[in-house]
Amino acid sequence: PFLQCLCAICGKKAGTLLSPFPGVGFSSSMGADEVKALAALMTYKCALVDVPFGGAMAGVRIDPSKYSEQELEKIMRHFTVEMARKGFIGPGIDVLAPDVNTGEREMSWIADTYTHTLGYRDINTQACVTGKPISQGGIHGRHSATGRGVLHGVESYITNTEYMDCTGLSPGLPGKTFVLQGFGKVGLHTMKYLHESGAHCICVGEKDGAIYNPRGIDPKELEDYKQGHGTIAGFPKAEFYDSRILEVPCNVLIPAAIKKQLTGQNAPQVQAKIIAEAANGPTTPAAHEIFLQRNILVIPDVYVNAGGVTLSFFEWLKNLNHVSYSRLSFKYGWDSSYHLLQSVRHSLEQWFGKSRGEIPIISSPQFQARVTGASEKDIVYSGLAYIMEQSAKQIMTVAVRYNLGLDQRTAAYLCALEKVFTVYNEAGFTY
């Protein structure tokens, strides 16, 4: 009786191959309209980054904080059985992925339930869900994928001289300041990757408060503090900030919390030059128009937070192939790098002679790391970087074609719609 499932399917073939690829989350405020909107967003997101899935969204309308782990497991297993009976779950039907308030634990429950019920005779049952623990067929790097995708999305624009000239910023991430709203799994990893790239987070906001340090906040120290105290409030290396964090002066603003945070009311006070929408739907249409008028570059959610669905696609492929990335090629890659170094040394010795003995070949730390071979995480991160970079180029090309200027949201949707149209047009419209 306490289980209220909401499932919407929108756009059966935004990509080229399969049925929808929905996220599933817990939220007491979830409604049918929101689920439909997120399903549509997922449709265009998958098309934009060339992930061959359609788009869908599913959810369980409860407040997870009011239930024990055992009760949540029972709810999720019940949810899985009901969805499977209706034909909404399966490795070749709808492949679920984590969303708000769900993660590896919940995805593991779904996979186990499906495996031991309707999928008990299917060798590909692990592929019915992504975002699983590694031991259950998950993929290395999935947990931080959305945050890493945000990094690549921001890099694609902030290194572009033309777009930076429009915003008044110098190209490059080093030295840039950013403000982060939301320190969950997406916000945390976004903060880590931007910090590693030389940017400085000066303000972090959560639902229970915000902290500010103009000299920068270390993400690892803040993560450790939150794990120990359950909140970012009281973090000793930053001061409490009691004003509106979305209006803090910075170079990049990253809303990574919930929808409708940037509105027509607060958009005129936003002092960032770039807004990277790590959350789904954080900007209202009214705010979007104001940002365009103020020459503020908005990197839209339909593109910049697509890292999660991209890594989910990689995990799905891994499950169907029944072999992890790099397992078959790791030793070959290591041997190839070793023989390359030997060849270089041999060539130098032949040219200069061996009168002074063997010529040592000293590899750089970067090359030494590569010599050991590519891990699964290396391979999927490389694939993610390539997809995000290529998608950004496609959006920029469409923006130029239609003379859209800084309106990257419209360019992104046009790019996605063109791909959806191409699929339907070439497949035929009879059915």
Side-chain angles (χ1 to χ4, degrees), residues 42 59 66 114 123 149-150 159 162 193 217 230 299 326 345 380 383 395 420 431:
M42 185 65 76
K66 296 181 179 180
Y114 182 82
I123 192 175
V150 173
T159 55
E162 293 182 7
Y193 290 129
I217 301 170
I299 308 176
S326 83
R345 187 176 71 177
V380 298
I395 296 170
V420 174
Y431 296 102

Side-chain angles (χ1 to χ4, degrees), residues 277-290:
E277 297 181 331
N280 285 324
T283 306
T284 66
H288 173 76
E289 292 301 322
I290 293 173

Side-chain angles (χ1 to χ4, degrees), residues 370-404:
R370 294 286 180 123
V371 167
T372 58
S375 66
E376 180 176 79
K377 182 183 288 188
D378 293 331
I379 292 174
V380 298
Y381 276 176
S382 175
L384 173 61
Y386 176 78
I387 287 175
M388 295 299 292
E389 290 166 6
Q390 293 303 306
S391 298
K393 291 178 181 178
Q394 292 173 8
I395 296 170
M396 294 175 188
T397 299
V398 170
V400 172
R401 186 193 312 159
Y402 294 101
N403 194 29
L404 294 171

Side-chain angles (χ1 to χ4, degrees), residues 262-271 286-288 290-291 294 296:
L262 296 165
T263 66
Q265 286 69 46
N266 62 14
Q269 284 74 50
V270 170
Q271 300 185 59
H288 173 76
I290 293 173
F291 293 144
R294 298 182 58 205
I296 295 175

